[in-house]
Amino acid sequence: MSATAARPATARPVRKPKKASYGSRAERRFAFLFVLPAVLLVLVFRIIPLIWGFFISLTDWSGLGEAEFIGIDNYAAMARDPNFQDSMVNTFVLLATLPVWIMLPMLLAILIHQGVPGGKLFRAVYFFPAVLSSVIVGSIFNVVLRFDGSFNALLGMVGIDAVDWLGNSSTALFSLIGVQLWATFGMSLLIFLAGLSTVSKEMLEAARLDGAKLWQIWIFVVIPSLRPIIEFVAVVTTIGVLTNMFGLIYVLTAGGPGTATTLPEFLIWLEQGRLNRPGYAAAISMVLFAFMGGIAYLQIRIMSRNANI
């Protein structure tokens, strides 16, 4: 045996895996410059006002002079405030109608996607109210829904007595919800239409070959495929109905009759603008922020759990 053959083979050194390369330092700095404006906007207009609002909520301050630190007194007063309690009851009633805010645009999107005659026209008509400001929408329905308005006139033609839609505490909130739904569901409709265009055609064809009926295809194939879209619309709609109804409330009912249509966002304006209590208004804002965050978190957790079943 030769010396070369007898020499034991040396093991090759194990190379460490290379770290993922994210570009040179100069490239990373250049990329950060693109992100910096968005970070500054969020910091200046979101984070800092949120921190400042929390500080104000712990004070008794009129907006002028020196603020007096009072701890959680504003939050304790909120728990005893009947106006705040009524606004939260109205909020839960509003949240109970959320399935309608999701199902209505989804069903209309399905019908339009099926190719009904005039589908493009319907798409434009349904979306048109979404481009109108809440003040314009409120002014229109202030005329339509008043006691001597056109809607009651239409009901009278079929023998139904007139209803004070905006002046009756039992109908005012639901009238307000109906107007807001009419004004905003067009955006959700477009989102669902975009989602329908991504449904796998192979799955649809396989379901047809297996003999599935049309309603079975939509329930067992299409709607499950739209789960991410439904989740997105649910979260966005929840945040929207809790924070974007001030204009309608101000124009249509001013929170009345009594507190029948008062929501926390409108109560914040009343406490700040009418009663000049920015500390108490900030406390309501903090509670509303925490409430919206909690609702959105629960929605995401529940939907994620259902997705894993």
Side-chain angles (χ1 to χ4, degrees):
M1 183 181 295
S2 65
T4 303
R7 185 180 303 167
T10 57
R12 293 183 178 180
V14 178
R15 294 183 178 180
K16 295 182 179 180
K18 293 183 179 180
K19 294 182 178 180
S21 177
Y22 299 100
S24 66
R25 181 175 299 179
E27 290 175 338
R28 293 197 296 270
R29 289 177 179 176
F30 189 67
F32 178 74
L33 290 177
F34 284 98
V35 180
L36 183 60
V39 173
L40 290 177
L41 286 174
V42 173
L43 180 64
V44 173
F45 294 104
R46 297 292 184 180
I47 306 300
I48 293 178
L50 183 64
I51 297 173
W52 176 247
F54 177 71
F55 170 75
I56 294 299
S57 72
L58 303 176
T59 65
D60 182 13
W61 188 42
S62 64
L64 298 173
E66 187 175 351
E68 178 187 355
F69 182 79
I70 59 174
I72 63 171
D73 287 358
N74 283 325
Y75 295 93
M78 193 189 314
R80 300 187 300 267
D81 186 359
N83 291 334
F84 176 74
Q85 295 170 4
D86 290 344
S87 70
M88 291 306 298
V89 171
N90 294 337
T91 298
F92 283 109
V93 173
L94 179 61
L95 291 176
T97 65
L98 279 178
V100 179
W101 297 71
I102 299 171
M103 295 300 297
L104 177 63
M106 184 176 67
L107 292 176
L108 289 175
I110 290 175
L111 291 176
I112 294 175
H113 190 262
Q114 282 293 109
V116 295
K120 293 183 178 180
L121 175 63
F122 285 124
R123 183 184 308 180
V125 169
Y126 290 142
F127 180 73
F128 175 72
V131 304
L132 299 177
S133 71
S134 58
V135 175
I136 294 175
V137 173
S139 299
I140 293 172
F141 279 91
N142 213 351
V143 176
V144 173
L145 294 178
R146 65 189 183 187
F147 190 77
D148 58 346
S150 55
F151 189 59
N152 276 334
L154 183 62
L155 294 179
M157 295 175 61
V158 294
I160 300 176
D161 295 334
V163 178
D164 191 2
W165 298 102
L166 301 176
N168 190 325
S169 58
S170 61
T171 59
L173 181 59
F174 293 103
S175 299
L176 193 71
I177 292 172
V179 173
Q180 180 71 2
L181 176 61
W182 174 86
T184 58
F185 84 91
M187 184 63 69
S188 299
L189 174 70
L190 292 185
I191 295 173
F192 278 118
L193 283 173
L196 286 169
S197 64
T198 64
V199 176
S200 172
K201 295 181 180 180
E202 290 76 10
M203 292 178 60
L204 296 176
E205 186 63 28
R208 293 190 186 97
L209 292 176
D210 288 340
K213 297 181 180 178
L214 182 61
W215 65 269
Q216 293 174 323
I217 293 175
W218 285 108
I219 292 178
F220 298 108
V221 178
V222 176
I223 293 180
S225 300
L226 292 177
R227 183 185 295 274
I229 306 298
I230 295 173
E231 294 175 2
F232 174 77
V233 170
V235 174
V236 172
T237 301
T238 301
I239 296 174
V241 299
L242 292 177
T243 59
N244 293 330
M245 292 186 65
F246 174 83
L248 275 185
I249 297 174
Y250 184 84
V251 175
L252 284 177
T253 63
T259 57
T261 58
T262 299
L263 294 176
E265 61 171 328
F266 189 77
L267 186 61
I268 292 169
W269 174 80
L270 287 176
E271 294 293 339
Q272 169 69 40
R274 291 285 184 87
L275 302 178
N276 195 27
R277 298 203 294 174
Y280 188 60
I284 299 175
S285 300
M286 293 298 103
V287 171
L288 179 60
F289 172 77
F291 181 77
M292 289 191 304
I295 292 294
Y297 175 76
L298 286 176
Q299 286 180 322
I300 294 173
R301 285 296 302 272
I302 292 173
M303 293 175 180
S304 299
R305 183 179 302 174
N306 291 338
N308 295 328
I309 294 177

